Amino acid sequence: MPELPEVENVVRTLAPRLCGCRIERVRMSASRVFRGRQGEIEASLPGCRVLAVRRYGKNILIELDRCLLRVHLGMTGKLLFDAEQATHPRATLWLCREAEAETGVLIFDDIRQFGRFETLPAEGEEALALGPEPLELSLGAFCKALGERGGAVKNVLLDQHFLRGMGNIYTDEALFLAGIHPLTPASRVTRKKAAALYEAMRLLLQEAIDAGGSSISDYVDAEGRRGGFQDRHQVYGRAAQPCTRCGTLIRRMVVAQRGTHYCPRCQRLAIKRPTR
DNA sequence: ATCTATTCCTGGCTGC
DNA sequence: TGCAGCCAGGAATAGA
């Protein structure tokens, strides 16, 4: 499932091949990824030139000269230059470079249709109003915001209005590295633990980006390459296997309707009561 | 307002 | 070998 590091790798493999191209024509199949905007997209994309490709949380924003194309990969979405790798193409863009014939296609492929493919007005990302990037946020701002939130710390980290880019895998991994139980109320995470969480999250995201992301089910970048970080997960997907730190068996429970993996010994649910 | 539960969607896996 | 049933979960939406 694509989270911040995976989307970052998609953007990095997408940008050099896409920037400067003109979209010649578009073919779309009926799919809920367009959210009823299929005709609008088909009408607006042809003739547009790609100015830039950037990431906004887990969104891929393709900046065109007339509008913004927002692509969210959801669970199983992929952007591919190789038609051979597409099994469930939802949109196909034919591209061409200046004074050249068609130079290739870009396919948005999405098995489960949890993704999104839509046009937004230029500067449309502001309307998405997501929280700050984890890698750009200061420690002080993170601790302050965390302390003001209700609910379990895992739910808060997954909330894209709190931080943009964290998903289930990196949330479980970051909580493990910081030694925080996923159900700990966000407002009860101590300053020391919050600082550990902040550092763990940033280290994890950077290392995962450098490793090409995590390929759990079928994630691949725009060149069709798998990531390598899945082999370094310490809790995610390791239920009933020994903790890499203490040997206790990793447990799985459901938090925020998501499979949640943690070490019951390294991540104690200790709610300190105020001492009178 | 703020937080939680439900819904969408299909391939892969399990067990009979 | 076939097939029913379950599981994976991001985020919009509805509900408390």
Side-chain angles (χ1 to χ4, degrees), chain A residues 8 96 101 112-113 176 263:
Chain A
E8 180 64 26
C96 98
R112 281 153 67 181
Q113 304 177 64
F176 169 77
C263 170

Side-chain angles (χ1 to χ4, degrees), chain A residues 46-61:
Chain A
C48 282
R49 187 173 303 280
V50 179
L51 304 177
V53 182
R54 62 179 192 275
R55 183 180 61 74
Y56 180 69
K58 300 179 203 171
N59 294 273
I60 297 158
L61 299 178

Side-chain angles (χ1 to χ4, degrees), chain A residues 21-26 45-48 50 64 93-95:
Chain A
C21 283
R22 191 175 68 241
I23 299 170
E24 285 288 284
R25 62 195 166 101
V26 182
L45 289 188
C48 282
V50 179
L64 305 172
L93 310 183
W94 278 266
L95 307 166

